[in-house]
Amino acid sequence: MAISKILVANRGEIAVRIIRAARELGISTVQAVSAADETMLAARLADAVAKIGPAHASKSYLNADALVAAALETGCDAVHPGYGFLSENAGFAEKVEAAGLTFIGPRPETIRKMGDKAEARREAALAGVPTVPGSEGVVAGVEAALEAAAGVGYPVMIKAAAGGGGRGIRIAADASELRSLVPQASAEAKAAFGDGGLYLERFVSRARHVEVQILGDGERAIHLFERECSLQRRRQKVWEEAPAACLSPDQRAALCASAVRLAERVNYRGAGTLEYLFDPATGEFFFIEMNTRIQVEHPVTEMVTGIDLMRAMIRIAGGEKLGLAQEDVALFGHAVEVRINAEDPASDFRPHPGTVEKLAVPGGMGVRFDTMLYPGYQVPPFYDSLLGKLIVHAESREAAIARLSRALGELEVGGLPTTAPLHRALACAGEVLRGDFHTGWLEEWLKGRPLAAAQPATQSEGR
Amino acid sequence: MTKTTIEAPLPGTFYRAPSPEEPVFKNEGDQVAIGDTVGLIEVMKSFTPVVAEAAGTLVAFHVDNEDAVMAGQPLYDLEA
């Protein structure tokens, strides 16, 4: 059944993105707000606002019962979870459906299956999708981990089976390191996710992170090509591109076809992303995990395909079939997104909430700024530091990066430090211009203090 | 005996324990030495310890675990 009113069960820039897509579809919106978020941009833009609890996320955006109650009280017929918070929580999706509401995302059983990394790898293997050599399922305890690691080969990565977003990952170079790291990692996973289960896989050095965007309607799935997100700091993506310039046309075709096989095997419904490691030395790609939700970096895919992913996922949730065949999806040009975070690059990226005293948003051809900011907005300290995403699109990668530099020059956020100086420096770095990087490159490059040199230039711009 | 009120050094979420499963850093009535951790403040998912810069007896907390605090908001009272 068609959706008429959505509860936006998230905050920040993605809540704004959801409201905009809903409005274009003629769907009204109710924005869920914590006590700290009543003045946020999404609350201003939505048709109505529902208070769901105190500032602390565990009592508001992570409170499934409060969100479902708010949706029912305000007459919503659907819930959009955005990313983070409860977006990949199968229990939340079940509660939404049990209340007679539509969950804008995959079926709860798909979330559960693909959210469990060991289970997802088994599905991948059955779909003929290569995976990184790893433990067969969850390893319980040090002895089991040592035994599994012997088969996988060192160095091994230790991951939380219930984890996500790169948190809780450790690398062991040999058996003695593994012996000491496993108990720590298990305790941390138990504290963070309520589940101490661990999973091991081979660590590929100089790997690149590529990921394939999928849309499915529960029967048929298509891909919208891939993104590259190898520029990461503390395993958090900071700069994303589409397409991945490191792939040959044949490699791209094989990668994207593998993602469609896996999505169709699990009868995927909605928007999803399959993340892979790509080894440029051998040309091999390995499936790592699936994110069963919209992703932060979805706009680069929208820019190079011209397809509105947010509208598409809402329409599919409303019962429509995929309106597109694979042949309808074409790549045009190149897009780059950089994350503008409330962090001080001059002070080891310390998070820094504050008040937006001045805001100048870049414009012109091929420039998009998806943000939660407005002049005078007080950025609360309680949530993550993402303020917005600057996205550019041009006919080639080189032209896109030139456009990014130009747009970053126009961007001005006064009153609090942001990561814009990092991106201004990255957009001039030789390795970035040549596309010569891997997932560990940014942290190594930052050790050379490239931003210390960039600092005076930034200040002389009067920002 | 003089009573001092210690204020939050930065805005965020105040925690009295290192994790939900662990005991609190300090209870009312406990002795506090310079350098002791009294709580944590979470700012955008980054945790900063609230470290005592003066010694004494912690006589009262002004905020509860997981409360939102603003910079300069009273956190606890110390008697020395």
Side-chain angles (χ1 to χ4, degrees):
Chain A
M1 73 243 99
I3 292 167
S4 64
K5 197 174 189 181
I6 295 173
L7 181 85
V8 182
N10 210 297
R11 62 178 306 282
E13 68 86 20
I14 197 63
V16 172
R17 177 75 189 87
I18 295 165
I19 291 166
R20 285 178 171 153
R23 190 154 290 153
E24 289 171 13
L25 292 168
I27 297 171
S28 58
T29 49
V30 177
Q31 176 61 52
V33 296
S34 75
D37 272 345
E38 289 175 26
T39 62
M40 71 176 169
L41 183 57
R44 291 181 162 198
L45 292 177
D47 297 302
V49 163
K51 296 180 186 182
I52 46 159
H56 200 267
S58 67
K59 295 165 192 152
S60 47
Y61 302 107
L62 291 171
N63 185 341
D65 292 329
L67 289 162
V68 170
L72 293 173
E73 280 161 23
T74 53
C76 290
D77 50 11
V79 175
H80 199 308
Y83 51 63
F85 295 124
L86 294 173
S87 61
E88 294 181 276
N89 184 309
F92 177 58
E94 278 165 353
K95 280 187 177 173
V96 168
E97 292 189 349
L101 306 167
T102 299
F103 180 78
I104 302 177
R107 279 179 288 271
E109 56 268 30
T110 313
I111 299 176
R112 187 164 283 127
K113 178 183 279 181
M114 300 313 278
D116 178 325
K117 291 189 188 78
E119 186 74 25
R121 279 170 57 92
R122 263 196 296 279
E123 289 293 337
L126 291 168
V129 178
T131 55
V132 187
S135 54
E136 296 292 327
V138 172
V139 294
V142 175
E143 293 311 317
L146 286 166
E147 196 176 311
V152 169
Y154 290 93
V156 294
M157 259 200 289
I158 309 164
K159 293 177 154 190
R167 287 185 183 82
I169 291 177
R170 287 180 167 78
I171 294 160
D174 52 38
S176 78
E177 276 191 23
L178 187 66
R179 195 178 278 282
S180 67
L181 288 174
V182 162
Q184 284 177 34
S186 182
E188 197 181 280
K190 181 108 178 66
F193 310 111
D195 174 358
L198 299 175
Y199 166 79
L200 302 181
E201 70 184 30
R202 173 98 59 79
F203 177 65
V204 179
S205 70
R206 302 184 69 81
R208 301 180 74 125
H209 175 113
V210 295
E211 56 185 37
V212 180
Q213 177 68 54
I214 288 293
L215 273 179
D217 61 14
E219 290 169 15
R220 203 162 60 80
I222 57 170
H223 70 79
L224 284 81
F225 295 97
E226 81 288 350
R227 299 182 283 264
E228 171 160 16
C229 320
S230 297
L231 294 178
Q232 303 182 2
R233 190 181 158 272
R234 296 192 177 168
R235 301 190 176 275
Q236 302 294 313
K237 300 163 184 168
V238 305
W239 163 308
E240 299 108 341
E241 306 187 20
C246 57
L247 297 180
S248 71
D250 286 351
Q251 288 166 343
R252 171 168 301 119
L255 173 80
C256 294
S258 82
V260 172
R261 283 201 303 277
L262 181 48
E264 288 195 335
R265 181 180 161 78
V266 299
N267 299 112
Y268 196 78
R269 186 187 73 192
T273 296
L274 290 92
E275 298 194 329
Y276 294 80
L277 278 184
F278 177 67
D279 186 342
T282 63
E284 290 174 287
F285 55 83
F286 304 110
F287 169 75
I288 318 169
E289 62 178 58
M290 181 165 194
N291 294 320
T292 54
R293 53 169 165 87
I294 193 75
Q295 283 192 278
V296 176
E297 61 271 25
H298 75 276
V300 288
T301 297
E302 296 182 326
M303 302 303 268
V304 294
T305 61
I307 294 167
D308 186 320
L309 285 165
M310 190 60 82
R311 280 205 316 231
M313 77 185 287
I314 294 171
R315 291 174 62 170
I316 290 167
E320 290 184 37
K321 290 291 166 197
L322 266 179
L324 294 162
Q326 188 63 63
E327 308 83 76
D328 299 329
V329 186
L331 266 182
F332 174 72
H334 199 89
V336 180
E337 170 185 288
V338 295
R339 299 193 189 190
I340 306 298
N341 294 344
E343 294 168 14
D344 186 358
S347 170
D348 196 30
F349 295 89
R350 197 159 51 92
H352 200 297
T355 301
V356 180
E357 282 157 15
K358 193 173 176 193
L359 181 67
V361 173
M365 184 172 175
V367 175
R368 165 176 172 185
F369 190 46
D370 280 22
T371 187
M372 66 186 299
L373 298 181
Y374 59 81
Y377 177 58
Q378 229 179 325
V379 180
F382 311 112
Y383 310 103
D384 81 31
S385 60
L386 183 67
L387 299 174
K389 306 169 322 201
L390 178 60
I391 305 119
V392 296
H393 181 221
E395 67 279 13
S396 66
R397 184 170 187 271
E398 190 184 6
I401 295 176
R403 182 162 279 163
L404 175 67
S405 270
R406 188 271 290 171
L408 282 165
E410 294 175 20
L411 174 67
E412 189 176 351
V413 181
L416 66 168
T418 74
T419 49
L422 167 70
H423 298 303
R424 291 190 185 110
L426 282 174
C428 318
E431 291 93 331
V432 174
L433 294 170
R434 291 193 301 277
D436 177 19
F437 46 71
H438 54 88
T439 53
W441 177 82
L442 177 58
E443 291 193 358
E444 287 168 24
W445 181 75
L446 284 167
K447 283 181 195 155
R449 304 185 60 80
L451 301 178
Q455 214 55 34
T458 322
Q459 282 167 3
S460 69
E461 287 166 45
R463 287 165 192 166
Chain B
M1 296 283 264
T2 53
K3 194 166 84 174
T4 328
T5 299
I6 311 304
E7 297 172 347
L10 68 177
T13 306
F14 183 71
Y15 295 93
R16 285 189 52 191
S19 76
E21 291 80 27
E22 287 174 82
V24 295
F25 291 109
K26 293 288 175 188
N27 279 301
E28 292 178 348
D30 282 357
Q31 290 302 305
V32 173
I34 292 173
D36 280 2
T37 297
V38 177
L40 298 173
I41 294 180
E42 179 194 0
V43 183
M44 295 174 159
K45 300 188 173 172
S46 142
F47 292 83
T48 304
V50 177
V51 177
E53 291 171 2
T57 307
L58 197 163
V59 289
F61 273 105
H62 292 285
V63 289
D64 285 333
N65 190 48
E66 295 189 356
D67 269 2
V69 296
M70 301 315 291
Q73 184 176 333
L75 285 184
Y76 62 94
D77 288 342
L78 206 59
E79 253 179 24

